[in-house]
Amino acid sequence: MKVGFFVPCYIDAIHPKAAISTYELLKKLGLDVEFIERGACCALPELDMGFLKHACTLEKGIAPLVVDKGYDYVVVPSGICTDQFRSHFDGVEQTPEVVQFRKTVMDPVEFLHDVLKITELPGKPSFPHRVALHNGCHSLRYLLEARPSELMIKPFDKCADLLRLVDGLEVGYATRRDECCGFGGTYAIWDASCSGQQGRDKVSDYDRNGFKYVTSQDMSCMIHQQTVARKIGLDLKMFYITELLNGDAQP
Amino acid sequence: MRQVNQVKLGEEFIKSRAHREMHDRCLWAARMRRDAVAASIPEWEEMRELASEIKLHTLSNLDFYLEQFTANAEANGIHVHWARNADEHNAIILEIFKSHGVKVVTKGKSMTMDECGMREFMAKHGIEINEADLGERIQQLDNQRPSHIVMPAIHKLRSDVADLFARKLGSDRDIDDPHYLNSVMRADMRKRYCQVDAGMSGVNFGIAETGGIVVCTNEGNADISANLPPLYVATMGLEKLIPRQSDLPLFIRLLSRSALGLDMTQYTSHYHHPRQGQEMHLIILDNGRSERLSSPDYWPVLKCIRCGACMNTCPVFRRTSGISYDAIYMGPIGIVLEPSYDLYKYARLPYSCTHCGSCGDVCPVKVPIPELVFYWRSVVVDHNDELFTHNAEETLAEPILESAGNLAKAEKVGLWALRHIPKSIAESGLNPWAEAHDDPEPPEETFRQYYNRVIKPESDKDTPKEQS
Ligand code: SF4
């Protein structure tokens, strides 16, 4: 199985560990992984601000990097960027190849859980601690990787399923388990006061529940929460989910 | 005209910790009650889907249903009037009031009448309108707009209300006990109810098949307005129709559960014709609705049944309050509705959203609010020239994009967009991120560097040399 590996700009620049852990985990699982060297920005920030023209230009640049390359799947270690490809990415002509790309682009959680259906992790990683799971809003409500608390459907949680494969790891949640943490991409800069308040409310919730560790399939939420927690002096450590799944997370 | 700055107004509310925490707690509790009652109904999601489809069907055949409704209502003895906009709406009602010598009116909650600025208009013509909904009356006394479409004074602390009543109704400022405050209001309002000339209310549902209207309240404010005086005037937005009486229970089941987590509104009143000796008028209001209906991107917004659930769940709304939107409609539905009334004034509102998607998932009729937020942001950017003074950012980005031979350069554009909110709508060039956040720890190397250092040499080793 050939997998294209698309590393979004903010992961590369701010938290490359998320990409490294994901890449290594996919290799350990015996896959043929190809880093898409020319890939970078997924066009979400542009779309988010309403600059459709720019988003469209970027999408036109991305399309030739991901279609017709013989990839069975394209894995993107970021929920928001995966959602950008899956749910938006309509600034380019919707050829059968583009449609196929949008169907087979996945974040690592979907890929490991739904495609590979893994039941054990290579190298038997262990993390004998309670970890709060934050399902990022885009992964949760747009990619539907868990039951959003708003929807009255059968409960499921793909991240939690995967995290339970880590030896000793106990999955928990904040009291307001899937309330938005306030990152929202450009929103965090546009409305720093409310975004900051949401972030403080979220990290205080973990703290009240006695968590020391937090993980998410969306690193952008983690970067926001980590820097807010540090600003108010809370001792919390945030990981991208594959850092735990690949045994790279250090307590 | 002034542009509404929700961020700035919201910041003031955020800073008042007591207000923010009370507001967030009360509305989150409403959301939790909503979750609990929704979970107790196995067919909840099917109900949402069905309600959405009924609304879409009705909107797609609105001309037919409006005619059917009007014919039936008139046959029942209701005087039906059509108002293209707020001015026509107010003029029609003034005419009715004048011809009946109306001086004092009691009114149930109506967002549609608020939309028309009806109360202020009547005041100018010497007609006194008293709100019968407690929260709405509090806001009226305080000369402030409702901060929530279902709970108009939810942003006020008890002490705020005690203070207001002391100033306006002469009560004891130091007693903020709800029973006492209620009794003060009751005593004041009861006097007024005895001398009203007319009553008014909004409409939750108009039933095409019967020509009747249905009004849902928790305090009976519509009932006292409709049942006491000899003249009753109701206003209905033209999107409020449902086809049949048998469609109604579905919406009644969804409405109050979504709004407050109650099984049903306390009062669900059906008015099919004037009672004996009473005259009943119904104004059907357009005010931009038919224009919305004709927009292929935007028309699903008309499904909204004004339950307020999207406000209760919105993480931004809960922390900044409805007052910060400085608009008739606030919260998620407000940020996608208000720009259609005045794009310049409300150009910033669609940006007051983290895109968490919760509003779309609680909405009982599946109004696709998150998509509509994207839609409005693109409209705002399209009108950049008219709306804002300059569009330096757009021109700045263009050359970067064109020269992006190596797409990795485009990351600059992504990070650019993260750093540069369009200056024309941002407050200052300072980095607001730093106020709430520490700097992220800089990584030792980027993934690209790691790739070139570790992965690439490995894979080059593995690939067999090409034959020459
Ligand atoms: S958009 Fe939906 S949730 Fe919001 S007020 Fe309207 S019906 Fe209720």
Side-chain angles (χ1 to χ4, degrees):
Chain A
M1 188 187 291
K2 192 166 173 195
V3 176
F5 190 53
F6 188 101
V7 179
C9 54
Y10 79 96
I11 293 285
D12 193 31
I14 305 176
H15 198 85
K17 277 191 210 158
I20 297 171
S21 298
T22 308
Y23 182 88
E24 289 185 346
L25 182 59
L26 296 179
K27 287 299 271 190
K28 281 187 210 165
L29 288 164
L31 300 163
D32 178 8
V33 190
E34 185 172 288
F35 173 46
I36 302 170
E37 279 188 68
R38 279 154 50 91
C41 177
C42 69
L44 182 62
E46 290 74 10
L47 180 75
D48 193 27
M49 287 309 288
F51 292 109
L52 292 194
K53 234 171 53 199
H54 297 170
C56 171
T57 310
L58 282 176
E59 289 176 3
K60 284 193 181 126
I62 291 164
L65 305 179
V66 290
V67 303
D68 275 344
K69 293 279 174 192
Y71 299 143
D72 296 301
Y73 293 93
V74 173
V75 173
V76 186
S78 164
I80 39 172
C81 307
T82 306
D83 176 50
Q84 148 66 8
F85 291 141
R86 178 97 42 87
S87 316
H88 303 289
F89 209 71
D90 36 23
V92 287
E93 201 197 325
Q94 300 296 300
T95 60
E97 294 78 21
V98 168
V99 171
Q100 180 64 11
F101 160 67
R102 292 179 59 185
K103 261 195 238 155
T104 50
V105 62
M106 303 211 165
D107 86 345
V109 172
E110 297 174 303
F111 186 65
L112 297 172
H113 190 279
D114 301 343
V115 177
L116 298 184
K117 300 187 167 67
I118 58 169
T119 50
E120 54 183 15
L121 291 164
K124 304 227 174 313
S126 130
F127 195 82
H129 303 278
R130 276 176 79 224
V131 178
L133 168 58
H134 171 76
N135 271 304
C137 292
H138 280 245
S139 314
L140 177 68
R141 299 197 186 84
Y142 301 125
L143 299 178
L144 218 63
E145 290 181 6
R147 174 179 88 89
S149 55
E150 295 87 358
L151 293 185
M152 300 305 149
I153 54 177
K154 230 169 115 219
F156 64 98
D157 192 329
K158 297 180 187 178
C159 281
D161 290 348
L162 292 173
L163 287 167
R164 290 202 183 93
L165 303 177
V166 177
D167 202 37
L169 190 154
E170 188 191 325
V171 180
Y173 298 92
T175 304
R176 294 186 181 184
R177 65 187 272 159
D178 58 13
E179 190 192 13
C180 175
C181 70
F183 176 61
T186 50
Y187 177 78
I189 296 158
W190 166 256
D191 185 355
S193 63
C194 191
S195 171
Q197 188 58 48
Q198 286 180 246
R200 285 190 293 279
D201 289 349
K202 178 59 81 180
V203 295
S204 310
D205 191 333
Y206 300 136
D207 190 56
R208 272 197 307 279
N209 281 290
F211 288 107
K212 291 269 172 265
Y213 306 103
V214 185
T215 191
S216 173
Q217 72 278 64
D218 205 314
M219 199 60 223
S220 65
C221 307
M222 293 290 94
I223 294 169
H224 166 66
Q225 295 181 23
Q226 180 74 76
T227 49
V228 166
R230 218 180 300 129
K231 185 92 177 178
I232 59 172
L234 287 184
D235 178 23
L236 287 165
K237 211 162 176 184
M238 319 259 167
F239 302 109
Y240 187 63
I241 188 165
T242 53
E243 292 180 67
L244 286 159
L245 301 181
N246 195 46
D248 296 329
Q250 299 300 326
Chain B
M1 206 214 290
R2 200 175 42 94
Q3 199 173 51
V4 171
N5 188 338
Q6 193 273 338
V7 169
K8 214 163 171 184
L9 295 171
E11 193 174 359
E12 285 166 30
F13 193 79
I14 287 174
K15 281 187 183 144
S16 169
R17 184 170 171 178
H19 284 93
R20 165 174 45 84
E21 287 183 349
M22 173 279 299
H23 191 258
D24 175 52
R25 199 175 51 239
C26 288
L27 295 182
W28 185 256
R31 162 67 211 281
M32 290 293 103
R33 285 197 304 272
R34 172 262 175 213
D35 285 6
V37 293
S40 72
I41 298 179
E43 68 272 26
W44 182 259
E45 294 304 330
E46 285 148 71
M47 285 165 60
R48 288 178 67 226
E49 180 55 33
L50 185 58
S52 168
E53 281 170 15
I54 292 175
K55 275 288 177 185
L56 289 175
H57 163 84
T58 316
L59 292 168
S60 308
N61 300 280
L62 198 57
D63 49 346
F64 169 79
Y65 286 117
L66 277 169
E67 276 173 20
Q68 188 190 20
F69 173 81
T70 310
N72 287 329
E74 281 173 342
N76 294 343
I78 301 172
H79 300 273
V80 180
H81 311 260
W82 298 82
R84 250 183 301 251
N85 51 37
D87 289 345
E88 280 190 19
H89 170 267
N90 295 345
I92 292 167
I93 300 182
L94 182 64
E95 193 52 44
I96 300 170
F97 284 174
K98 271 189 176 158
S99 65
H100 289 76
V102 170
K103 291 265 169 307
V104 184
V105 179
T106 178
K107 169 178 167 295
K109 250 189 80 50
S110 163
M111 294 307 301
T112 324
M113 287 179 180
D114 289 354
E115 191 183 307
C116 296
M118 196 272 309
R119 213 169 59 206
E120 296 73 16
F121 174 86
M122 292 299 164
K124 273 192 224 134
H125 290 86
I127 294 170
E128 177 189 328
I129 296 187
N130 295 310
E131 297 287 348
D133 176 87
L134 175 61
E136 188 91 27
R137 179 67 179 164
I138 290 173
Q139 290 306 91
Q140 185 183 19
L141 289 178
D142 205 10
N143 255 324
Q144 197 178 41
R145 279 182 175 158
S147 73
H148 187 295
I149 60 174
V150 179
M151 298 169 259
I154 190 70
H155 65 297
K156 280 187 163 66
L157 295 168
R158 270 181 354 211
S159 55
D160 296 333
V161 178
D163 191 65
L164 174 71
F165 284 11
R167 276 187 285 127
K168 301 282 170 142
L169 304 174
S171 60
D172 186 335
R173 187 179 305 264
D174 297 325
I175 308 181
D176 65 3
D177 171 57
H179 296 286
Y180 169 71
L181 293 171
N182 265 330
S183 69
V184 171
M185 176 61 88
R186 198 175 295 125
D188 182 67
M189 285 306 284
R190 290 249 159 112
K191 284 189 310 229
R192 296 171 193 271
Y193 288 141
C194 299
Q195 30 170 315
V196 291
D197 307 311
M200 306 178 97
S201 84
V203 170
N204 288 91
F205 303 100
I207 301 163
E209 176 187 62
T210 65
I213 59 171
V214 179
V215 192
C216 306
T217 74
N218 282 308
E219 298 167 23
N221 50 72
D223 303 79
I224 199 149
S225 307
N227 292 327
L228 211 54
L231 175 66
Y232 170 41
V233 180
T235 295
M236 176 178 84
L238 54 74
E239 81 285 18
K240 286 288 160 70
L241 291 187
I242 53 174
R244 302 164 303 186
Q245 181 78 26
S246 59
D247 298 323
L248 183 66
L250 172 68
F251 289 94
I252 299 293
R253 289 178 77 199
L254 283 166
L255 180 65
S256 197
R257 287 187 171 93
S258 300
L260 297 164
L262 300 173
D263 287 339
M264 208 172 148
T265 38
Q266 303 291 318
Y267 298 83
T268 301
S269 308
H270 305 244
Y271 301 103
H272 279 82
H273 48 76
R275 44 167 225 282
Q276 239 179 5
Q278 186 193 46
E279 201 174 301
M280 179 172 169
H281 293 261
L282 177 71
I283 326 291
I284 300 178
L285 177 71
D286 186 328
N287 207 27
R289 287 165 173 78
S290 49
E291 207 178 306
R292 280 169 222 157
L293 190 60
S294 66
S295 156
D297 296 312
Y298 187 49
W299 71 284
V301 78
L302 291 166
K303 288 194 282 182
C304 174
I305 57 171
R306 306 280 191 264
C307 71
C310 54
M311 298 168 193
N312 301 348
T313 202
C314 176
V316 179
F317 181 87
R318 261 185 282 109
R319 287 169 180 82
T320 57
S321 94
I323 294 297
S324 69
Y325 295 75
D326 195 6
I328 303 294
Y329 300 102
M330 58 299 282
I333 187 66
I335 69 174
V336 298
L337 255 186
E338 290 294 347
S340 76
Y341 291 102
D342 188 334
L343 185 55
Y344 174 79
K345 187 173 180 192
Y346 295 114
R348 290 157 172 268
L349 286 192
Y351 292 89
S352 290
C353 165
T354 66
H355 264 302
C356 75
S358 183
C359 50
D361 283 351
V362 289
C363 177
V365 287
K366 298 193 176 180
V367 174
I369 302 176
E371 283 166 38
L372 297 175
V373 169
F374 274 128
Y375 166 74
W376 277 111
R377 289 182 182 184
S378 72
V379 172
V380 168
V381 166
D382 277 349
H383 290 74
N384 202 43
D385 289 342
E386 307 143 48
L387 295 172
F388 312 115
T389 45
H390 67 104
N391 62 349
E393 288 71 32
E394 285 228 54
T395 35
L396 188 84
E398 217 61 59
I400 306 177
L401 288 165
E402 276 164 12
S403 70
N406 179 350
L407 203 73
K409 273 197 197 144
E411 90 182 57
K412 292 208 187 79
V413 185
L415 295 173
W416 158 81
L418 272 173
R419 272 193 310 268
H420 296 271
I421 301 293
K423 286 231 175 42
S424 35
I425 35 177
E427 275 312 293
S428 76
L430 298 176
N431 176 7
W433 171 267
E435 274 169 41
H437 301 82
D438 236 12
D439 283 338
E441 276 171 23
E444 282 158 27
E445 60 182 353
T446 65
F447 181 77
R448 226 166 278 281
Q449 287 163 337
Y450 169 83
Y451 173 78
N452 286 322
R453 183 173 64 81
V454 182
I455 304 173
K456 212 165 175 205
E458 279 289 311
S459 59
D460 286 352
K461 236 181 357 208
D462 293 349
T463 8
K465 289 236 163 64
E466 268 177 46
Q467 281 171 6
S468 51

